[in-house]
Amino acid sequence: MTHRPGRRRGIAAIVLLVLGAVILGGVTVAKAVDPPSRFSMGKAAGWQMAPTYTDGESIYLEPVDTGKLRRGDVVLVSVPWSLQKTQMNRVIAVGGDRIRYKPSSKTSGQYRLVLNGDPLDEPYLEQWKNPSAVAFDVTVPEGSVFLMGDNRMNSDGSQYANNGPVPVDGISAKVVMYPMAKLAVWGQLAGALVLVAGAVLAFVSRRARRRAEAPVAADAPASEQAEQGEPAAAAAAGERADAQS
């Protein structure tokens, strides 16, 4: 049993297109589902955490165990230097850490904070931004954290001498990416890629069918000529036989 050229590609294209539509549909439903009760929603206020979070951007908050705070966590905290009731900051160092910065020195070709003697990798900062507008050298007391905003040139934080480390008791929540929201982002990308792959396969399958049909159409006149020539050849053979007899 023979199959038309491009038939398998066509079937695969249909499967991918349906799968892509299902993924995107599921993502739409997932985004509409409310997060569990332990999460609460809010909005970022100000630009101190740009580019990670911008003013007015939706954020998800969850209760925080201050004993399990980690470097790099983004928290909602009450700080004495802010006019706002609470603000977002990033935990740069925890109790017992020594954090320092000297603007005139570079590490690995870049200006970087030094945490416990090692350069601190901060992928959340834009490459062209300096890690601090001022120099500092602080050992964080136990029960406190060293906080900074990601927008280092336009935010307040523990790096300033009149601010310093903040007691963990002032932290009210941790800013997180709700898992379903994160899944929705990747789901949208996956669904779009599957749809594109399906469309490409459909195009390739269609071209394969057209190429396979073209020679058949071109050969049709030649076969008709061959059929018309058979009676003429038979007649000519009969005339030669009569002449010989």
Side-chain angles (χ1 to χ4, degrees):
M1 180 179 179
T2 59
H3 297 290
R4 291 185 304 168
R7 183 171 180 269
R8 291 182 178 178
R9 291 194 188 99
I11 294 175
I14 293 173
V15 171
L16 288 176
L17 289 171
V18 172
L19 180 60
V22 169
I23 292 175
L24 288 178
V27 167
T28 302
V29 173
K31 290 175 70 176
V33 175
D34 291 332
S37 57
R38 69 187 183 92
F39 291 93
S40 59
M41 283 193 66
K43 288 188 178 295
W47 296 91
Q48 69 272 9
M49 286 300 296
T52 309
Y53 296 98
T54 56
D55 185 47
E57 182 177 345
S58 295
I59 57 174
Y60 290 91
L61 306 169
E62 70 172 353
V64 60
D65 182 347
T66 55
K68 296 182 179 180
L69 284 172
R70 296 181 299 176
R71 304 178 191 95
D73 285 345
V74 178
V75 296
L76 196 66
V77 57
S78 175
V79 292
W81 61 76
S82 175
L83 295 178
Q84 300 176 357
K85 184 178 180 181
T86 56
Q87 71 173 39
M88 290 168 58
N89 279 105
R90 188 180 295 276
V91 177
I92 302 300
V94 297
D97 286 340
R98 181 188 178 190
I99 184 77
R100 57 190 175 88
Y101 176 66
K102 188 177 180 181
S104 60
S105 62
K106 284 187 178 182
T107 304
S108 301
Q110 293 181 330
Y111 294 105
R112 298 169 72 179
L113 304 183
V114 178
L115 177 67
N116 298 326
D118 296 319
L120 181 62
D121 186 24
E122 297 188 278
Y124 39 81
L125 295 183
E126 292 183 0
Q127 293 299 315
W128 56 270
K129 287 191 174 179
N130 291 325
S132 176
V134 297
F136 58 86
D137 189 341
V138 177
T139 298
V140 185
E142 293 295 339
S144 297
V145 288
F146 190 95
L147 302 174
M148 299 179 76
D150 287 355
N151 188 357
R152 299 291 165 82
M153 298 297 107
N154 191 26
S155 64
D156 218 340
S158 297
Q159 68 269 33
Y160 293 99
N162 58 331
N163 295 342
V166 176
V168 295
D169 295 342
I171 298 174
S172 57
K174 183 164 69 171
V175 182
V176 297
M177 178 170 276
Y178 172 48
M180 192 63 74
K182 189 173 184 179
L183 178 64
V185 172
W186 287 106
Q188 285 179 324
L189 178 60
L193 290 176
V194 170
L195 283 176
V196 170
V200 171
L201 269 179
F203 175 75
V204 172
S205 174
R206 187 176 180 182
R207 288 196 64 181
R209 288 199 302 270
R210 286 184 175 180
R211 288 179 178 177
E213 292 169 357
V216 175
D219 290 345
S223 60
E224 291 176 1
Q225 291 177 4
E227 292 176 358
Q228 292 175 358
E230 287 179 0
E239 291 176 358
R240 286 197 298 270
D242 292 341
Q244 292 176 356
S245 61

